[in-house]
Coordinates of all heavy atoms in Angstrom, one line a residue:
D267 N -117.5 173.7 41.4 CA -118.9 173.8 41.8 C -119.1 174.8 42.9 O -118.2 175.5 43.2 CB -119.4 172.4 42.2 CG -118.7 171.8 43.4 OD1 -118.0 172.6 44.1 OD2 -118.9 170.6 43.6
E268 N -120.2 174.8 43.5 CA -120.5 175.8 44.6 C -119.6 175.6 45.8 O -119.4 176.6 46.5 CB -122.0 175.7 45.0 CG -122.5 174.4 45.6 CD -122.9 173.4 44.5 OE1 -122.9 173.7 43.3 OE2 -123.1 172.2 44.9
D269 N -119.0 174.5 46.0 CA -118.1 174.3 47.1 C -116.7 174.7 46.7 O -115.8 174.7 47.6 CB -118.0 172.8 47.5 CG -119.3 172.3 48.2 OD1 -120.0 173.2 48.8 OD2 -119.6 171.1 48.1
G270 N -116.4 175.1 45.5 CA -115.1 175.6 45.1 C -114.2 174.5 44.5 O -113.0 174.7 44.3
C271 N -114.7 173.3 44.4 CA -113.9 172.2 43.9 C -114.4 171.8 42.5 O -115.6 171.9 42.2 CB -114.1 171.0 44.8 SG -113.5 171.3 46.5
V272 N -113.5 171.2 41.7 CA -113.9 170.7 40.5 C -114.3 169.2 40.7 O -113.6 168.5 41.4 CB -112.8 170.7 39.4 CG1 -113.1 170.0 38.2 CG2 -112.4 172.2 39.2
V273 N -115.5 168.8 40.3 CA -115.9 167.4 40.4 C -116.1 166.8 39.1 O -116.9 167.3 38.3 CB -117.2 167.3 41.3 CG1 -117.6 165.8 41.5 CG2 -117.0 168.0 42.7
F274 N -115.4 165.7 38.8 CA -115.6 164.9 37.6 C -116.6 163.9 37.9 O -116.4 162.9 38.6 CB -114.3 164.3 37.1 CG -113.2 165.3 36.8 CD1 -112.2 165.6 37.7 CD2 -113.2 165.8 35.5 CE1 -111.3 166.5 37.4 CE2 -112.2 166.8 35.2 CZ -111.2 167.1 36.1
R275 N -117.8 164.0 37.3 CA -118.9 163.0 37.6 C -118.6 161.8 36.7 O -118.1 161.9 35.6 CB -120.3 163.6 37.1 CG -120.7 164.9 37.9 CD -121.2 164.5 39.3 NE -121.4 165.7 40.0 CZ -121.0 165.9 41.3 NH1 -120.5 164.9 42.0 NH2 -121.2 167.0 41.9
W276 N -118.9 160.7 37.3 CA -118.6 159.4 36.6 C -119.5 159.1 35.5 O -119.2 158.5 34.5 CB -118.6 158.3 37.6 CG -117.5 158.4 38.6 CD1 -116.3 159.1 38.5 CD2 -117.5 157.9 39.9 NE1 -115.6 159.0 39.6 CE2 -116.3 158.2 40.5 CE3 -118.4 157.1 40.7 CZ2 -115.9 157.9 41.8 CZ3 -118.0 156.7 42.0 CH2 -116.8 157.1 42.5
T277 N -120.7 159.7 35.5 CA -121.6 159.6 34.4 C -122.3 161.0 34.2 O -122.5 161.7 35.2 CB -122.7 158.5 34.5 OG1 -123.6 158.9 35.6 CG2 -122.1 157.2 34.7
E278 N -122.8 161.3 33.1 CA -123.5 162.6 32.9 C -124.7 162.7 33.7 O -125.1 163.8 34.1 CB -123.8 162.8 31.4 CG -122.5 163.0 30.5 CD -121.8 164.3 30.8 OE1 -122.5 165.3 31.1 OE2 -120.6 164.3 30.8
R279 N -125.4 161.6 33.9 CA -126.7 161.6 34.6 C -126.6 161.3 36.1 O -127.6 161.2 36.8 CB -127.6 160.5 34.0 CG -128.0 160.9 32.6 CD -128.7 159.8 32.0 NE -127.8 158.7 31.8 CZ -128.0 157.5 31.3 NH1 -129.2 157.2 30.9 NH2 -127.1 156.6 31.1
E280 N -125.4 161.3 36.6 CA -125.1 160.9 38.0 C -125.7 162.0 38.9 O -125.5 163.2 38.8 CB -123.6 160.8 38.2 CG -123.3 160.2 39.6 CD -123.8 158.8 39.8 OE1 -123.4 157.9 39.0 OE2 -124.6 158.6 40.7
T281 N -126.5 161.6 39.9 CA -127.1 162.5 40.8 C -126.5 162.3 42.2 O -126.6 163.2 43.1 CB -128.6 162.3 41.0 OG1 -128.9 160.9 41.3 CG2 -129.3 162.6 39.6
N282 N -125.8 161.2 42.4 CA -125.2 160.9 43.7 C -124.0 161.9 43.9 O -123.1 161.9 43.1 CB -124.7 159.5 43.7 CG -123.9 159.1 45.0 OD1 -123.5 160.0 45.7 ND2 -123.8 157.8 45.2
A283 N -124.0 162.7 44.9 CA -123.0 163.8 45.1 C -121.6 163.2 45.3 O -120.6 163.8 45.0 CB -123.4 164.6 46.4
N284 N -121.5 161.9 45.8 CA -120.2 161.3 46.0 C -119.7 160.5 44.8 O -118.7 159.8 45.0 CB -120.2 160.5 47.3 CG -120.3 161.4 48.5 OD1 -119.7 162.4 48.6 ND2 -121.2 161.0 49.4
A285 N -120.4 160.5 43.7 CA -120.1 159.6 42.6 C -119.2 160.4 41.6 O -119.7 160.8 40.5 CB -121.3 159.0 41.9
G286 N -118.1 160.8 42.0 CA -117.2 161.6 41.2 C -115.8 161.7 41.8 O -115.6 161.2 42.9
T287 N -114.9 162.3 41.1 CA -113.6 162.6 41.6 C -113.3 164.1 41.7 O -113.6 164.8 40.8 CB -112.5 161.9 40.6 OG1 -112.8 160.5 40.5 CG2 -111.1 162.1 41.1
V288 N -112.9 164.5 42.9 CA -112.7 165.9 43.1 C -111.2 166.3 42.8 O -110.3 165.6 43.0 CB -112.9 166.2 44.6 CG1 -112.5 167.6 45.0 CG2 -114.3 165.9 45.0
W289 N -111.1 167.5 42.2 CA -109.8 168.1 42.0 C -109.8 169.5 42.7 O -110.8 170.2 42.5 CB -109.6 168.3 40.5 CG -108.3 169.0 40.1 CD1 -107.1 168.4 39.8 CD2 -108.0 170.4 40.0 NE1 -106.1 169.3 39.6 CE2 -106.7 170.5 39.7 CE3 -108.8 171.5 40.3 CZ2 -106.1 171.8 39.5 CZ3 -108.2 172.8 40.1 CH2 -106.9 172.9 39.8
A290 N -108.8 169.8 43.5 CA -108.8 171.0 44.2 C -107.4 171.5 44.6 O -106.6 170.7 45.1 CB -109.7 170.9 45.5
P291 N -107.1 172.8 44.4 CA -105.9 173.4 44.9 C -106.1 173.8 46.4 O -107.2 174.2 46.8 CB -105.6 174.6 44.0 CG -107.0 175.0 43.5 CD -107.8 173.7 43.5
F292 N -105.1 173.7 47.2 CA -105.1 174.1 48.6 C -104.0 175.1 48.8 O -103.1 175.2 48.0 CB -104.7 172.9 49.5 CG -105.9 172.0 49.8 CD1 -106.4 171.2 48.8 CD2 -106.4 171.8 51.1 CE1 -107.4 170.3 49.0 CE2 -107.4 170.9 51.3 CZ -107.9 170.2 50.3
K293 N -104.1 175.9 49.8 CA -103.1 176.9 50.1 C -101.8 176.2 50.4 O -101.7 175.1 50.9 CB -103.5 177.7 51.4 CG -104.6 178.7 51.2 CD -104.9 179.5 52.4 CE -106.0 180.5 52.1 NZ -106.3 181.3 53.3
E294 N -100.7 176.9 50.0 CA -99.3 176.3 50.1 C -98.9 176.0 51.5 O -98.1 175.1 51.8 CB -98.3 177.1 49.4 CG -97.9 178.4 50.1 CD -96.8 179.2 49.4 OE1 -96.0 178.6 48.7 OE2 -96.8 180.4 49.5
D295 N -99.5 176.7 52.5 CA -99.2 176.5 53.9 C -100.1 175.5 54.6 O -100.0 175.4 55.8 CB -99.1 177.8 54.6 CG -100.4 178.5 54.7 OD1 -101.4 178.1 54.1 OD2 -100.4 179.5 55.4
T296 N -100.9 174.8 53.9 CA -101.8 173.8 54.5 C -101.1 172.7 55.2 O -100.0 172.3 54.7 CB -102.8 173.2 53.4 OG1 -103.7 172.4 54.1 CG2 -102.1 172.4 52.4
D297 N -101.6 172.3 56.3 CA -101.0 171.1 57.0 C -101.8 169.9 56.7 O -101.5 168.8 57.2 CB -101.1 171.4 58.5 CG -100.1 172.4 59.0 OD1 -99.0 172.6 58.4 OD2 -100.5 173.2 59.9
Y298 N -102.8 170.0 55.8 CA -103.7 168.9 55.4 C -102.9 167.7 54.8 O -103.2 166.6 54.9 CB -104.8 169.4 54.5 CG -106.0 168.5 54.4 CD1 -106.8 168.3 55.5 CD2 -106.3 167.9 53.2 CE1 -107.9 167.4 55.5 CE2 -107.4 167.0 53.1 CZ -108.2 166.8 54.3 OH -109.3 166.0 54.2
F299 N -101.8 168.1 54.1 CA -101.0 167.1 53.4 C -99.9 166.5 54.2 O -99.2 165.6 53.8 CB -100.3 167.7 52.1 CG -101.2 168.2 51.1 CD1 -102.6 168.3 51.2 CD2 -100.7 168.7 49.9 CE1 -103.4 168.8 50.2 CE2 -101.4 169.2 48.9 CZ -102.8 169.2 49.0
G300 N -99.7 167.0 55.4 CA -98.6 166.6 56.3 C -97.4 167.4 55.9 O -97.5 168.6 56.0
S301 N -96.3 166.8 55.5 CA -95.1 167.5 55.2 C -95.3 168.6 54.2 O -95.9 168.4 53.2 CB -94.0 166.5 54.8 OG -92.9 167.2 54.3
R302 N -94.6 169.7 54.4 CA -94.7 170.8 53.4 C -93.9 170.5 52.1 O -94.1 171.1 51.1 CB -94.1 172.1 54.0 CG -94.8 172.6 55.2 CD -96.0 173.5 54.8 NE -96.8 173.8 56.0 CZ -96.8 174.9 56.7 NH1 -96.0 175.9 56.4 NH2 -97.7 175.1 57.6
D303 N -93.1 169.4 52.2 CA -92.4 169.0 51.0 C -93.4 168.2 50.0 O -93.1 168.1 48.8 CB -91.3 168.0 51.3 CG -90.2 168.7 52.1 OD1 -90.0 170.0 51.9 OD2 -89.4 168.1 52.8
Q304 N -94.5 167.8 50.5 CA -95.4 167.0 49.7 C -96.3 168.0 49.0 O -97.1 168.8 49.6 CB -96.3 166.1 50.5 CG -97.2 165.2 49.7 CD -97.9 164.2 50.6 OE1 -97.3 163.7 51.6 NE2 -99.1 163.8 50.2
Q305 N -96.3 168.0 47.6 CA -97.0 169.0 46.8 C -98.4 168.6 46.4 O -99.2 169.4 46.0 CB -96.2 169.4 45.6 CG -94.9 170.1 45.9 CD -95.1 171.4 46.7 OE1 -95.9 172.2 46.2 NE2 -94.5 171.5 47.8
S306 N -98.7 167.3 46.6 CA -100.0 166.8 46.2 C -100.4 165.7 47.2 O -99.6 165.1 47.8 CB -100.1 166.4 44.8 OG -99.2 165.3 44.6
M307 N -101.7 165.4 47.2 CA -102.2 164.3 47.9 C -103.4 163.6 47.2 O -104.2 164.3 46.6 CB -102.7 164.7 49.3 CG -103.2 163.6 50.2 SD -103.6 164.1 51.9 CE -105.0 165.0 51.7
V308 N -103.4 162.3 47.2 CA -104.5 161.6 46.6 C -105.5 161.1 47.7 O -105.1 160.6 48.7 CB -103.9 160.4 45.8 CG1 -105.1 159.5 45.2 CG2 -103.0 160.8 44.7
N309 N -106.8 161.2 47.4 CA -107.8 160.7 48.2 C -108.3 159.3 47.6 O -108.7 159.3 46.4 CB -109.0 161.7 48.3 CG -110.2 161.1 48.9 OD1 -110.9 160.2 48.3 ND2 -110.6 161.6 50.0
Y310 N -108.1 158.2 48.3 CA -108.5 156.9 47.8 C -109.9 156.6 48.4 O -110.1 156.6 49.6 CB -107.5 155.9 48.2 CG -106.2 156.1 47.5 CD1 -105.1 156.6 48.2 CD2 -106.0 155.7 46.2 CE1 -103.9 156.8 47.6 CE2 -104.7 155.9 45.6 CZ -103.7 156.4 46.3 OH -102.5 156.6 45.7
R311 N -110.8 156.1 47.6 CA -112.1 155.7 48.0 C -112.0 154.2 48.4 O -111.4 153.4 47.8 CB -113.1 155.8 46.8 CG -114.5 155.5 47.1 CD -115.3 155.6 45.8 NE -116.7 155.3 46.0 CZ -117.7 156.1 45.8 NH1 -117.5 157.3 45.4 NH2 -118.9 155.7 46.1
V312 N -112.6 153.9 49.6 CA -112.6 152.6 50.2 C -114.0 152.2 50.6 O -114.8 153.0 50.9 CB -111.6 152.4 51.3 CG1 -110.1 152.7 50.9 CG2 -111.9 153.3 52.5
K313 N -114.2 150.9 50.8 CA -115.5 150.4 51.3 C -115.6 150.4 52.8 O -116.6 150.6 53.3 CB -115.8 148.9 50.7 CG -116.1 148.9 49.3 CD -116.5 147.5 48.9 CE -116.8 147.5 47.4 NZ -117.2 146.1 47.0
D314 N -114.5 150.0 53.4 CA -114.4 149.9 54.9 C -113.2 150.6 55.4 O -112.1 150.0 55.5 CB -114.5 148.4 55.3 CG -114.6 148.2 56.8 OD1 -114.2 149.0 57.6 OD2 -115.0 147.1 57.1
L315 N -113.4 151.8 55.9 CA -112.2 152.6 56.3 C -111.5 152.0 57.5 O -110.3 151.9 57.5 CB -112.7 154.0 56.7 CG -111.6 155.0 57.2 CD1 -110.5 155.2 56.2 CD2 -112.2 156.3 57.7

Side-chain angles (χ1 to χ4, degrees):
D267 64 13
E268 61 276 355
D269 289 335
C271 298
V272 174
V273 179
F274 296 97
R275 300 283 173 222
W276 294 335
T277 67
E278 291 294 321
R279 295 173 289 181
E280 190 61 64
T281 57
N282 178 340
N284 290 318
T287 302
V288 174
W289 178 94
F292 281 67
K293 291 183 178 180
E294 70 178 331
D295 63 352
T296 185
D297 291 326
Y298 199 66
F299 296 5
S301 169
R302 298 274 169 101
D303 292 335
Q304 184 171 330
Q305 294 301 306
S306 62
M307 183 172 69
V308 176
N309 166 294
Y310 295 102
R311 186 179 176 122
V312 299
K313 287 184 180 182
D314 186 337
L315 177 64

